């Protein structure tokens, strides 16, 4: 009989778990014999004490095998990508149809929002009719039929990871290299793709705020993939300011569709091309990331990626007509609060984390795991870091419905921005780990 107390004590005291006990723990969390509070206590112990390489591998495999693993028919070598979490990061919504339009199958397992960062599943759930949790058979059949599928954890797909993920979101146990690496890799293994591109975010709006830490996470993901027999490539990318002009679930869907239409903000398009190029390269459709990027640029500009998005929506219960005028069917907020510049200068700071926190406290994310989110909550960024502003210019607008925590959100937004000198430039791509 599994003893949760003794198990938690081992990690609390800085000890190590063997493979069998990690497996038993994951199984007990899944069947409910370990309570949420016990799993959360272990998460905090693991957060503080860490997991060594063998523990990480065993924990990852136990999570991946808590459901069934997708087995794509031989000959169907799918590629997948995963971000370590950012603010305004809507790239998955573009990349899945974009890369599938190149002829490479994409089998994508995603999660809901985590901490102050947004999650693909929450964004997709703002699309009327979209089915975001697919049973395994349907997931596989869809990848075979249209070349792509996106699903959250389901009863079949990494269900134990879903439990831990939900607990980490609300127990301050997210920014840990082994917990992030196992969470991501277990979903990648369950999703059945043969190779992965990791977008390791670095900066104020990421779980890894400094470059060395981000590099360590990138290396951990690449090493773990290799030890599990998978090819991968990690790009460390900037998350000092939010990506694009919108943060918030429904608004990010609308912005991603702009990018699929060959438009959208420059930084978002550029990151999609970079990650898409890396996926196409890793999947063997191009000789380098650069030529992969050129192929992706063509697919975006020719409308091929948008066409594939239409097929994806139809396959997962929504209508492709949604793409014509998405803002007409996406939920909209009733109230607005504007933040303006108090002097002339350049936008020196546009910190991503307080913006993500503001969206979260207004109901765009979860404070407790059973919370229902409001997809209409969003922040519009009227200018980006380094741009010139005049006193009185609009910097940010918050769109919301429930004013209960407006004061907190306003304080958070006020901390996010500062007008002053021109800030140092940060490139979008900070490093690459193969
Ligand atoms: N994305 C995940 O799926 N898990 C994490 O822990 C962080 C980002």
């Amino acid at each position: 009989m599994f003893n949760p107390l003794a198990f938690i004590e081992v990690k609390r005291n800085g000890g190590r778990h063997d493979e069998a006990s990690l497996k038993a723990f994951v199984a007990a969390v899944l069947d409910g014999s370990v309570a949420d509070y016990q799993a959360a206590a272990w998460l905090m112990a693991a957060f503080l004490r860490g997991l060594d390489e063998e523990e990480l591998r065993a924990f990852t495999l136990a999570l991946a095998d808590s459901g069934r693993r997708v087995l794509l028919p031989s000959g169907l070598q799918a590629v997948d990508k995963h971000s370590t979490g950012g603010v305004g990061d809507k790239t998955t919504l573009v990349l899945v149809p974009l890369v599938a339009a190149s002829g490479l199958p994409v089998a994508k397992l995603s999660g809901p929002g985590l901490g102050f960062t947004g999650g693909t599943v929450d964004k997709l759930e703002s699309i009327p009719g979209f089915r975001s949790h697919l049973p395994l058979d349907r997931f596989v059949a869809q990848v075979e039929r249209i070349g792509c599928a996106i699903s959250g954890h389901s009863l079949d797909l990494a269900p134990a990871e879903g439990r831990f993920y939900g607990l980490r979101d609300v127990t301050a146990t997210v920014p840990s290299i082994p917990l992030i690496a196992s969470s991501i890799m277990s979903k990648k293994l369950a999703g059945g793709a043969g190779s992965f591109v990791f977008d390791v975010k670095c900066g104020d709006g990421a779980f890894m705020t400094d470059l060395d830490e981000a590099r360590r996470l990138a290396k951990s993901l690449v090493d773990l993939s290799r030890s599990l027999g998978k090819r991968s490539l990690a790009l460390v990318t900037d998350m000092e300011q939010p990506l694009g002009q919108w943060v918030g679930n429904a608004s990010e869907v609308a912005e991603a569709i702009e990018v699929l239409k060959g438009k959208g903000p420059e930084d978002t398009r550029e990151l999609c091309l970079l990650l898409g190029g890396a996926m196409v390269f890793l999947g063997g459709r191009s000789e380098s990331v650069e030529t992969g990027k050129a192929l992706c640029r063509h697919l975006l500009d020719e409308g091929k990626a948008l066409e594939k998005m239409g097929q994806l929506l139809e396959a997962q219960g929504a209508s492709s007509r949604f793409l014509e005028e998405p803002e007409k069917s996406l939920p909209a907020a009733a109230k607005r609060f504007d933040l303006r510049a108090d002097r002339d200068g350049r936008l020196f700071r546009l910190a991503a984390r307080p913006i993500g926190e503001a969206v979260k406290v207004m109901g765009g994310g979860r404070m407790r795991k059973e919370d229902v989110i409001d997809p209409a909550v969003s922040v519009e960024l009227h200018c980006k870091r380094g741009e010139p502003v005049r006193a009185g210019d609009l910097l940010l607008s918050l769109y919301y419905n429930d004013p209960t925590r407006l004061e907190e959100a306003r304080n958070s937004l006020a901390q996010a921005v500062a007008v002053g000198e021109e800030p140092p430039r940060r490139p979008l791509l900070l490093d690459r780990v193969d």
Side-chain angles (χ1 to χ4, degrees):
M1 178 87 177
F2 181 75
N3 180 342
L5 239 72
F7 184 80
I8 297 165
E9 277 170 8
V10 168
K11 203 31 84 186
R12 184 198 64 193
N13 297 341
R16 63 178 305 282
H17 301 298
D18 61 21
E19 189 181 336
S21 62
L22 280 161
K23 247 182 162 168
F25 173 55
V26 169
V29 169
L30 190 60
D31 72 19
S33 49
V34 164
D36 274 0
Y37 48 82
Q38 292 171 316
W42 179 82
L43 280 169
M44 188 55 84
F47 178 91
L48 296 170
R49 296 293 194 169
L51 299 179
D52 71 18
E53 252 174 60
E54 278 169 35
E55 287 176 304
L56 172 59
R57 194 170 182 279
F59 184 52
T60 303
L61 284 168
L63 294 175
D65 293 328
S66 62
R68 289 157 65 204
R69 288 206 212 177
V70 169
L71 245 189
L72 293 169
S74 59
L76 216 56
Q77 271 298 322
V79 57
D80 192 355
K81 68 78 69 167
H82 209 92
S83 156
T84 58
V87 177
D89 181 2
K90 63 279 294 172
T91 55
T92 292
L93 303 174
V94 177
L95 286 164
V96 171
L98 171 60
V99 174
S102 78
L104 255 182
V106 186
K108 173 83 179 99
L109 272 203
S110 286
L114 197 55
F116 56 89
T117 69
T120 302
V121 167
D122 293 335
K123 299 179 217 263
L124 287 168
E125 284 179 353
S126 57
I127 303 176
F130 192 88
R131 185 165 176 196
S132 57
H133 294 268
L134 301 177
L136 182 132
D137 297 345
R138 194 168 159 169
F139 184 84
V140 175
Q142 190 178 312
V143 176
E144 278 190 86
R145 187 163 60 81
I146 65 161
C148 57
I150 312 182
S151 176
H153 317 93
S154 66
L155 285 181
D156 288 346
L157 295 166
E161 205 298 290
R163 294 274 175 90
F164 285 107
Y165 192 98
L167 289 173
R168 285 171 61 224
D169 183 30
V170 291
T171 55
T173 48
V174 177
S176 137
I177 290 181
L179 294 181
I180 295 177
S182 54
S183 158
I184 292 179
M185 269 309 293
S186 60
K187 287 194 284 287
K188 300 304 90 180
L189 287 179
S195 50
F196 318 121
V197 170
F198 300 115
D199 180 11
V200 178
K201 299 288 189 198
C202 174
D204 172 79
F207 298 120
M208 300 295 126
T209 51
D210 85 58
L211 190 54
D212 284 341
E213 255 185 324
R215 285 191 179 117
R216 275 203 295 282
L217 175 56
K219 188 166 176 323
S220 173
L221 284 162
V222 170
D223 288 348
L224 186 56
S225 307
R226 188 182 307 120
S227 83
L228 294 165
K230 303 285 184 179
R231 291 184 70 208
S232 70
L233 168 63
L235 302 178
V236 180
T237 68
D238 183 44
M239 189 27 79
E240 195 60 24
Q241 63 178 337
L243 190 69
Q245 273 166 325
W246 288 91
V247 179
N249 294 299
S251 66
E252 290 187 40
V253 169
E255 192 166 53
I257 292 168
E258 283 295 289
V259 177
L260 284 167
K261 289 180 175 170
K263 299 181 271 183
E266 193 45 44
D267 61 350
T268 313
R269 176 177 158 97
E270 183 53 29
L271 185 58
C272 289
L273 291 176
L274 183 62
L275 293 168
M279 289 169 80
V280 166
F281 164 64
L282 211 61
R285 295 276 154 142
S286 71
E287 282 176 1
S288 66
V289 173
E290 269 315 305
T291 50
K293 264 179 90 172
L295 172 60
C296 290
R297 194 173 292 117
H298 172 79
L299 294 167
L300 270 187
D301 294 342
E302 294 300 305
K304 301 287 182 215
L306 185 68
E307 206 177 292
K308 187 57 79 179
M309 183 61 161
Q311 292 173 16
L312 179 73
L313 291 179
E314 294 281 347
Q316 294 195 217
S319 163
S320 56
R321 284 209 309 280
F322 166 78
L323 296 172
E324 290 163 19
E325 290 179 289
E327 43 301 312
K328 285 208 169 145
S329 29
L330 285 168
K335 302 186 179 74
R336 169 177 176 157
F337 158 75
D338 289 331
L339 190 70
R340 292 177 185 274
D342 54 1
R343 56 181 160 140
D344 296 354
R346 297 250 172 193
L347 190 59
F348 181 77
R349 186 171 71 231
L350 183 61
R353 179 171 180 155
I355 295 173
E357 299 279 10
V359 169
K360 180 172 167 167
V361 300
M362 294 308 287
R366 296 173 186 80
M367 308 304 288
R368 298 170 60 89
K369 73 187 173 59
E370 55 280 8
D371 285 351
V372 175
I373 63 167
D374 178 351
V377 173
S378 60
V379 170
E380 181 179 7
L381 314 175
H382 297 283
C383 56
K384 300 289 296 265
R385 245 168 75 103
E387 287 179 11
V389 293
R390 308 291 302 266
D393 280 357
L394 265 181
L395 297 180
L396 304 172
S397 299
L398 168 70
Y399 301 88
Y400 63 97
N401 289 310
D402 177 356
T404 314
R405 297 182 69 178
L406 182 59
E407 200 49 37
E408 213 179 313
R410 282 167 64 153
N411 289 339
S412 210
L413 291 178
Q415 277 171 29
V417 288
V419 176
E421 306 278 294
E422 183 157 5
R425 282 188 161 270
R426 266 173 78 100
L428 192 59
L429 178 61
L430 299 169
D431 204 355
R432 166 177 169 161
V433 180
D434 289 83

